[in-house]
């Protein structure tokens, strides 16, 4: 027998079933207002990031694979691709989730779940949006699905722990679970079907960190594949295609295979009481999240009356160990000048130098020509030291703090400490600030008026009766 009745009878009180049951049954009226509000901000943030990502050279390498998929006459129920033209896919609608997942993770500007370094939106929102457009769900249904998806993948990432993240990219691995849960929520899967969907997603989840070691450009494929894998997993479950029912806790399941220290209790502890979507950090700067406290501190110094960046002789940065390792891995050493946008993105000495020099840090500072021609940063980086501070390291990942000390040419020192960088839950960006960021980014792909209209409509997603028209601007 392969029917649902036979399979469900053997599920028992397993963690996967408990998580799936909650995901299938919770509704938007059960969710706290702050979780719903944060879901709106996350969608707005992701839309801007995905549109900007679609205009990058690496995205242009992928787009031709889908030539001919665009609808000549868009139909209701088609899924939108976040790029110039806001193209619609009908016959190949599932691939919209793949392209949007790719575009949304190209720049690395998307928000992150702080304690796990997971980028939940990169996988969850593309799957949920494509499915919601296809089946003409309401904005409220989409938001509920996003909250559920973030909860599921963040809990899986917490259960997997640091040993998993040391070798695996959590967005590619754990993100697939969130995408499956979100798409399954849009589809209205019951608890057994949702369990199957998680089983399918986990069986195909992957994403090795070797791409970073080799400096490869393939990292956006992790988010793209996670989004598509999750969506396909949910659709297969809806069709009655049974999947493994103990994919998380089984002896040969996801956690025991891909983590040396799985914490199964993280999957279900206080489920429905504390929402992980409220723990994500927005990214006001287009750089690695580990550099943000350093950038904030540098900006505070740059804003001091009479500060002259040309008089800076040396910079000393004290922060947590992971932030130091991230900077050193990216450039081969704290004093080595970045050779590419991807290296500059992860080089906190470069980010600090630009922040001191210009009193800001924006996407234009990571263009190849801007990196190559920045003589100020080239001079200052060899005179910048990064050190692990034991007290700051002990607070990580609850706090991602840093202290920046600047020595001027007369020997005077200026310093600033930031424990809660801008965008963290304890120091949040407002919806208006998130919308401003999204418009700035969306303008890279769309005309200004269209970018503004797009962001405004997305910010009002909760009132949308039909998500299929949400991006018709």
């Amino acid at each position: 027998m392969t029917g649902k009745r036979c399979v469900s009878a053997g599920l028992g009180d397993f963690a996967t079933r408990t998580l799936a049951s909650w995901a299938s049954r919770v509704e938007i009226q059960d969710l706290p207002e702050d979780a719903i509000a944060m879901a709106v901000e996350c969608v707005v943030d992701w839309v801007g990031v995905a549109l900007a990502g679609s205009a990058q050279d690496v995205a242009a390498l992928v787009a031709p694979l889908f030539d001919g998929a665009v609808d000549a006459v868009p139909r209701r129920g088609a899924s939108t691709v976040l790029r110039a033209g806001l193209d619609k896919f009908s016959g190949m609608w599932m691939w919209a989730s793949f392209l949007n997942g790719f575009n949304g993770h190209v720049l690395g500007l998307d928000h992150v779940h702080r304690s796990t370094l997971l980028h939940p939106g990169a996988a969850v929102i593309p799957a949920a949006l494509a499915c919601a457009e296809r089946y003409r769900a309401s904005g409220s249904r989409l938001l509920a699905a996003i909250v559920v998806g973030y909860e599921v993948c963040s809990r899986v990432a917490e259960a997997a722990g640091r040993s998993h993240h040391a070798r695996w990219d959590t967005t590619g691995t754990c993100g697939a679970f969130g995408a499956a849960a979100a798409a399954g929520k849009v589809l209205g899967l019951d608890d057994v079907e949702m369990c199957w969907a998680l089983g399918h997603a986990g069986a195909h989840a992957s994403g090795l960190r070797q791409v970073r070691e080799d400096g490869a450009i393939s990292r956006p494929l992790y988010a793209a594949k996670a989004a598509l894998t999750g969506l396909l997993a949910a659709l297969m479950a809806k069709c009655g295609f049974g999947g493994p029912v103990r994919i998380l806790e089984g002896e040969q399941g996801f956690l025991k295979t891909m983590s040396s220290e799985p914490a199964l209790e993280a999957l279900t502890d206080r489920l429905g009481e504390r929402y992980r979507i409220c723990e994500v950090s927005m990214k006001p700067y287009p750089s690695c999240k580990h550099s943000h406290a350093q950038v904030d501190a540098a900006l505070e110094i740059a804003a001091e009356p009479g500060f002259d960046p040309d008089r800076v002789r040396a910079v000393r940065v004290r922060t947590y160990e992971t932030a130091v390792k991230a900077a050193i891995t990216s450039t081969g050493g704290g004093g080595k000048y970045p050779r590419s946008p991807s290296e500059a993105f992860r080089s906190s000495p470069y980010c600090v130098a630009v922040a001191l020099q210009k009193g800001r840090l924006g996407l234009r500072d990571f263009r190849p020509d801007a990196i190559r021609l920045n003589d100020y940063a080239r001079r200052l980086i060899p005179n910048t030291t990064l050190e692990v501070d034991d007290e700051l390291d002990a607070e990580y990942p609850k706090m991602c703090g840093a202290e920046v000390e600047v020595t001027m040419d007369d020997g005077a020192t200026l310093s600033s400490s930031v424990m809660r960088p801008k965008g963290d839950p304890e120091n949040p960006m407002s919806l208006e600030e998130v919308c401003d960021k999204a418009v700035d980014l969306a303008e890279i792909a769309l005309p200004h008026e269209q970018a503004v209209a797009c962001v405004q409509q997305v910010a009002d997603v909760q009132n949308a009766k039909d998500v299929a028209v949400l991006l018709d601007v």
Side-chain angles (χ1 to χ4, degrees):
M1 293 177 64
T2 58
K4 186 185 298 184
R5 181 180 303 171
C6 176
V7 176
S8 63
L11 286 173
D13 295 324
F14 300 121
T16 306
R17 173 64 185 270
T18 301
L19 194 58
S21 179
W22 171 84
S24 67
R25 298 181 187 189
V26 68
E27 300 295 344
I28 194 162
Q29 60 266 25
D30 303 319
L31 301 174
E33 291 184 5
D34 59 344
I36 298 169
M38 195 64 200
V40 173
E41 291 190 22
C42 287
V43 178
V44 171
D45 182 65
W46 173 80
V47 164
V49 170
L51 282 166
S54 74
Q56 307 306 306
D57 291 344
V58 66
L61 299 176
V62 177
L65 296 174
F66 301 95
D67 286 346
V70 179
D71 291 351
V73 180
R75 303 196 302 269
R76 289 288 178 260
S79 297
T80 309
V81 177
L82 274 292
R83 64 184 184 187
L86 295 174
D87 298 322
K88 305 285 186 177
F89 284 13
S90 283
M92 296 178 64
W93 70 272
M94 286 189 294
W95 286 101
S97 67
F98 179 91
L99 277 175
N100 286 336
F102 187 93
N103 292 342
H105 208 45
V106 166
L107 291 169
L109 286 176
D110 46 319
H111 47 272
V112 59
H113 184 245
R114 184 175 60 196
S115 66
T116 61
L117 302 180
L118 164 72
H119 293 258
V124 170
I125 299 177
L129 178 63
C131 199
E133 287 185 300
R134 174 66 174 178
Y135 294 100
R136 308 190 67 175
S138 68
S140 293
R141 187 72 174 178
L142 174 62
L143 292 175
I146 289 170
V147 173
V148 166
Y150 277 49
E151 189 71 15
V152 168
C153 62
S154 297
R155 283 180 173 271
V156 173
E158 288 176 2
R162 290 195 182 188
S163 66
H164 177 80
H165 186 261
R167 296 182 179 275
W168 301 90
D169 185 289
T170 51
T171 303
T173 56
C174 305
F177 289 98
K185 191 66 191 173
V186 172
L187 291 169
L189 300 188
D190 64 27
D191 55 351
V192 175
E193 293 166 339
M194 187 69 80
C195 193
W196 289 346
L198 296 183
H200 293 315
H204 295 274
S206 188
L208 290 168
R209 288 175 62 85
Q210 187 61 37
V211 297
R212 292 188 179 183
E213 293 294 324
D214 291 348
I217 62 173
S218 54
R219 188 178 173 219
L221 283 173
Y222 290 163
K225 185 60 165 53
L228 181 61
T229 291
L231 176 55
L232 181 60
L235 289 168
M236 293 297 289
K238 185 67 174 177
C239 292
F241 194 86
V245 297
R246 295 192 301 132
I247 196 66
L248 291 170
E249 72 277 13
E251 287 301 317
Q252 298 186 63
F254 179 84
L255 292 175
K256 293 183 180 179
T257 299
M258 300 171 74
S259 173
S260 63
E261 48 182 24
L264 292 175
E265 65 277 5
L267 296 171
T268 57
D269 182 49
R270 297 177 60 194
L271 185 59
E273 298 178 23
R274 165 190 159 211
Y275 284 86
R276 270 61 175 178
I277 196 168
C278 296
E279 300 172 4
V280 301
S281 295
M282 292 290 172
K283 301 182 71 174
Y285 315 117
S287 61
C288 175
K289 181 62 181 173
H290 293 306
S291 71
H292 283 205
Q294 301 170 47
V295 172
D296 278 341
L299 291 175
E300 289 184 0
I301 294 172
E304 292 192 13
F307 175 77
D308 183 356
D310 292 328
R311 293 183 53 213
V312 175
R313 188 174 71 196
V315 176
R316 181 185 183 191
V317 176
R318 289 189 287 271
T319 187
Y320 52 97
E321 184 178 14
T322 300
V324 173
K325 287 183 175 179
I328 291 176
T329 298
S330 67
T331 61
K336 186 177 179 181
Y337 195 74
R339 300 162 296 180
S340 65
S342 62
E343 286 193 353
F345 168 86
R346 297 181 65 80
S347 172
S348 59
Y350 176 81
C351 298
V352 168
V354 173
L356 291 172
Q357 176 192 20
K358 301 181 178 181
R360 60 167 177 77
L361 182 67
L363 193 58
R364 291 175 179 83
D365 299 308
F366 294 86
R367 292 177 176 173
D369 58 340
I371 299 167
R372 186 178 66 255
L373 299 174
N374 194 325
D375 293 334
Y376 181 87
R378 196 178 293 276
R379 172 184 66 81
L380 193 57
I381 287 177
N383 296 312
T384 299
T385 59
L386 287 91
E387 304 171 11
V388 176
D389 182 281
D390 291 340
E391 292 184 5
L392 295 175
D393 193 52
E395 294 293 337
Y396 176 76
K398 292 182 179 179
M399 289 193 292
C400 301
E403 180 180 357
V404 174
E405 181 182 270
V406 171
T407 301
M408 308 302 287
D409 55 9
D410 61 358
T413 60
L414 302 171
S415 65
S416 176
S417 297
V418 172
M419 299 299 106
R420 304 286 192 183
K422 182 68 173 177
D424 271 11
E426 301 83 5
N427 186 16
M429 296 173 68
S430 65
L431 176 59
E432 182 179 2
E433 289 174 322
V434 175
C435 286
D436 288 344
K437 171 192 172 183
V439 170
D440 286 344
L441 291 171
E443 285 182 317
I444 296 174
L446 303 177
H448 173 74
E449 295 77 10
Q450 191 178 19
V452 171
C454 180
V455 171
Q456 287 177 343
Q457 286 200 183
V458 172
D460 194 39
V461 59
Q462 190 170 355
N463 295 318
K465 291 182 171 55
D466 182 356
V467 174
V469 301
L470 185 66
L471 294 167
D472 289 352
V473 294

